[in-house]
Amino acid sequence: MKRIGILTGGGDCPGLNAVIRGVCERCFCADVEVFGFYDGWRGVIEQDGQWLTENEMEGLQTMGGTILGSSRTNVMRIDDGPERVKQTMDKLGLEAIVAIGGDDTLGVARSLQKMGMNMVGVPKTIDNDLSGTDYTFGFDTACNNAMAALDNVKFTAMSHRRVIVVELMGRHTGWIAVHAGIAGNAQVIAIPEYPMHIDEICRILSERHRRTNWSVVAVAEAAEIEGIEQDESDIERDAFGNKAMDQRAIGERLARAINARTGIPARHVVLAHLQRGGNPSAYDRVLASRLGVGAANAVLKGNFGTMVSLRGTDIVLLPLEAALQERKCVPRDLYETAQMFMR
Ligand code: F6P
């Protein structure tokens, strides 16, 4: 009987459990056993995990988070990391590992594949900024959660005649802020791809407050606001060198700058993990299930060194490198659409 391993790395993401179920159900049908590693690459390095069973799959696609746990362990930064992965695979008799993760997790998978270990990737991030796939699972749920928050704060902004700034996730890009901002009626949408000047933001808000007396601003956590720069050299970094974005406090700084320059009362809300938690949307449950089955099919056919990807409405197989190329940024035409509503 064939055996494979599976892991989830990086930030948790609604739909991870649906991918796990998709991989396992497809494998079980083909008499393939699946070992679930705990906490991403940490479980592989430390041989920590369990054989997954049919019972554990029941309704899994409905649940947020990941039953396997996650971490940002970087195998390539551990001295004998790759050898330990090899030892674990040999000991458990695993033909391949399905790695579900973002560019960091998939970057490790690609390095291990180059060293002769069989890997199949499933691209994952709520940020939707991975190249090689049109949309990532988890993004739709995050946008729905962010939209609900924008809908909610609007009433407080109206009641108190305030500006409320909502800081949304997106380590490098503004996908969530743009989608949720359009859907949730934000009057200013600030994202890293197209930096705004604080004077421009204040102009939009001041003009608006002559007509009405409330506003909601969506700001991506990675946004640069020209005119309110600050030193970020002290911000902590993880094992992959990623900044702790919450420490930038862009939402708070922007709300303070708006208040100082316009005199309009301003508050900020950091949505943080509320947008990443919770159960996946129907769209994410289906997309993640399809990606999981697709990844298992790749393993069954021996298509290693690949990743599953959404192209249009199809699930296709691409080389693992596809997820690691240039970051997928918000295109100008989408941002221009968002700008149409900024007033
Ligand atoms: O990459 C997904 C993401 O949610 C980013 O949007 C965010 O900057 C980061 O992870 C937060 O990571 P953590 O949960 O480790 O603070």
Side-chain angles (χ1 to χ4, degrees):
M1 187 185 269
K2 268 197 193 183
R3 296 169 157 193
I4 67 159
I6 188 169
L7 63 87
T8 54
D12 74 325
C13 181
L16 280 170
N17 282 323
V19 179
I20 295 169
R21 175 173 172 264
V23 170
C24 288
E25 294 287 17
R26 178 68 190 94
C27 283
F28 295 159
C29 283
D31 272 341
V32 174
E33 289 182 314
V34 185
F35 190 87
F37 289 105
Y38 295 152
D39 307 340
W41 293 112
R42 185 201 67 76
V44 188
I45 296 283
E46 297 177 12
Q47 302 195 355
D48 190 14
Q50 63 164 98
W51 292 103
L52 296 171
T53 64
E54 191 75 59
N55 283 350
E56 283 154 320
M57 299 304 127
E58 181 65 44
L60 205 53
Q61 79 279 18
T62 65
M63 290 167 52
T66 162
I67 55 164
L68 295 176
S70 193
S71 74
R72 297 191 195 274
T73 304
N74 187 349
V75 173
M76 309 318 284
R77 280 237 188 140
I78 298 170
D79 275 349
D80 54 352
E83 292 89 273
R84 286 167 74 176
V85 173
K86 176 92 178 57
Q87 280 163 14
T88 298
M89 290 181 75
D90 289 346
K91 185 172 171 209
L92 296 171
L94 304 181
E95 187 177 350
I97 291 179
V98 173
I100 313 166
D103 42 6
D104 296 331
T105 304
L106 298 184
V108 170
R110 185 194 47 178
S111 302
L112 296 171
Q113 176 73 41
K114 282 191 176 156
M115 294 173 186
M117 289 162 255
N118 291 335
M119 302 284 149
V120 170
V122 181
K124 171 241 55 161
T125 171
I126 60 161
D127 296 351
N128 194 41
D129 61 355
L130 283 178
S131 59
T133 192
D134 288 355
Y135 284 97
T136 46
F137 71 86
F139 171 62
D140 183 64
T141 307
C143 287
N144 284 329
N145 292 339
M147 178 187 73
L150 293 170
D151 285 349
N152 286 347
V153 297
K154 178 178 99 174
F155 295 107
T156 300
M158 288 168 107
S159 306
H160 293 270
R161 311 184 195 310
R162 285 176 184 163
V163 173
I164 300 192
V165 176
V166 182
E167 180 183 311
L168 299 170
M169 278 185 168
R171 196 192 285 288
H172 305 281
T173 57
W175 284 99
I176 297 175
V178 164
H179 276 233
I182 293 172
N185 191 34
Q187 288 80 39
V188 171
I189 302 173
I191 64 171
E193 289 92 329
Y194 307 99
M196 293 180 81
H197 196 284
I198 184 66
D199 292 345
E200 171 65 358
I201 293 175
C202 290
R203 185 194 61 74
I204 295 171
L205 296 174
S206 298
E207 273 180 19
R208 182 178 157 79
H209 281 241
R210 281 195 281 277
R211 300 192 310 272
T212 182
N213 46 25
W214 64 273
S215 299
V216 173
V217 172
V219 61
E221 61 183 357
E224 298 290 343
I225 308 294
E226 291 163 358
I228 58 166
E229 294 89 359
Q230 75 164 29
D231 179 16
E232 295 183 3
S233 51
D234 284 351
I235 292 181
E236 286 165 37
R237 289 175 184 266
D238 67 17
F240 288 93
N242 299 307
K243 279 187 197 170
M245 298 304 290
D246 53 330
Q247 292 178 15
R248 295 188 75 232
I250 188 65
E252 182 180 357
R253 289 190 286 130
L254 179 55
R256 264 199 265 112
I258 290 168
N259 176 248
R261 284 169 165 80
T262 64
I264 305 169
R267 298 285 193 277
H268 77 280
V269 174
V270 183
L271 203 56
H273 299 89
L274 283 174
Q275 72 212 283
R276 213 166 79 188
N279 295 329
S281 64
Y283 179 87
D284 281 336
R285 291 179 197 194
V286 175
L287 174 58
S289 299
R290 293 179 72 201
L291 291 168
V293 172
N297 282 333
V299 171
L300 296 174
K301 289 183 188 146
N303 286 324
F304 304 122
T306 59
M307 64 164 227
V308 280
S309 149
L310 178 71
R311 276 289 155 87
T313 55
D314 296 331
I315 303 296
V316 300
L317 263 195
L318 298 176
L320 257 176
E321 284 74 27
L324 307 170
Q325 282 152 14
E326 208 176 310
R327 193 167 296 288
K328 187 177 73 196
C329 292
V330 171
R332 181 162 290 281
D333 66 326
L334 175 57
Y335 186 65
E336 283 173 358
T337 300
Q339 279 179 314
M340 290 298 304
F341 308 111
M342 289 199 218
R343 58 201 165 82

